[in-house]
Amino acid sequence: MMPVIILSLITVISVIFALRRKKLIFMLVPLLGLFSFALVKIIMVPMPFWDTVRFIFNLRS
C-alpha cells in the first residue's frame, strides 16, 4: 500500500510542477518511477531475469 501512496504523491507533485512551470519533462517523472518500481519487483523474483520477463508476457495468452 505504501508504494501506491508514494507513487500517487510523486504523480500529483509532478503534475503541479508541470502545470506551473509549463515544462512537460516533469510528466516523465511518474513514468520513470513506475518503471523503476516494476523493474525492482521483477528483479526480486527468484528466477533469472529474462525468464521472469518471458513469463510475465506469456500470461496474456
Side-chain angles (χ1 to χ4, degrees):
M1 185 67 175
M2 192 62 138
V4 173
I5 294 171
I6 292 171
L7 287 172
S8 299
L9 286 174
I10 289 172
T11 303
V12 168
I13 290 169
S14 65
V15 167
I16 290 171
F17 273 108
L19 292 175
R20 285 191 180 174
R21 303 208 178 171
K22 303 216 187 305
K23 293 187 180 183
L24 291 178
I25 195 74
F26 290 113
M27 297 305 280
L28 288 178
V29 174
L31 293 175
L32 292 175
L34 215 60
F35 177 73
S36 62
F37 176 75
L39 189 64
V40 167
K41 287 297 184 180
I42 289 173
I43 291 172
M44 287 174 57
V45 174
M47 286 173 38
F49 181 76
W50 288 114
D51 290 340
T52 306
V53 171
R54 257 188 263 135
F55 174 73
I56 290 171
F57 284 109
N58 282 335
L59 289 175
R60 283 192 220 164
S61 54

